[in-house]
Amino acid sequence: KIDDTENCSFPYIKPKTSLKAYDAENRAGEEVALKNSVGRISKEYIYAYPPGIPIVAPGEEITQEIAQKVTEMMSMGVNVASDSNKLPIVTVCAIDTGDKMG
């Protein structure tokens, strides 16, 4: 684990918002392996803790870059968590009903 989080830099990833957070959180969801979540909409926060920096918020699309960075951070010993506490195994994604933001 990384003990010196003050000197650890976290990558900036510009997420694509596909749904309003409220809509994603209130939508039915399913557990998806992180590697299979690319292109899906997150239903939960994924964050590096400490210090608690959000990497993905509800309603944001999980891109290949995000999945790769999360995997890299975990392999470096960064504690990456999610609201469901199921990472690194799975993340919870909203079930797509086709009504994404434009």
Side-chain angles (χ1 to χ4, degrees):
K1 298 282 182 203
I2 295 176
D3 294 320
D4 188 8
T5 55
E6 289 182 21
N7 294 321
C8 179
S9 64
F10 293 96
Y12 175 74
I13 302 170
K14 183 175 172 132
K16 176 185 176 192
T17 302
S18 295
L19 287 175
K20 293 179 182 176
Y22 175 83
D23 292 334
E25 291 173 330
N26 288 297
R27 186 171 288 208
E30 60 186 339
E31 295 178 358
V32 179
L34 182 61
K35 66 181 182 179
N36 296 330
S37 67
V38 174
R40 302 290 304 271
I41 300 168
S42 183
K43 184 175 164 63
E44 63 180 350
Y45 283 95
I46 299 173
Y47 51 91
Y49 186 83
I53 299 171
I55 300 167
V56 176
E60 294 178 347
E61 184 177 322
I62 300 172
T63 63
Q64 181 64 42
E65 178 186 23
I66 289 170
Q68 181 179 346
K69 293 294 183 187
V70 168
T71 301
E72 287 174 11
M73 292 170 73
M74 289 187 293
S75 70
M76 292 173 30
V78 175
N79 182 25
V80 179
S82 64
D83 293 337
S84 67
N85 291 316
K86 296 185 183 222
L87 271 178
I89 307 301
V90 296
T91 186
V92 179
C93 295
I95 295 177
D96 187 10
T97 61
D99 58 343
K100 295 180 183 177
M101 292 173 55

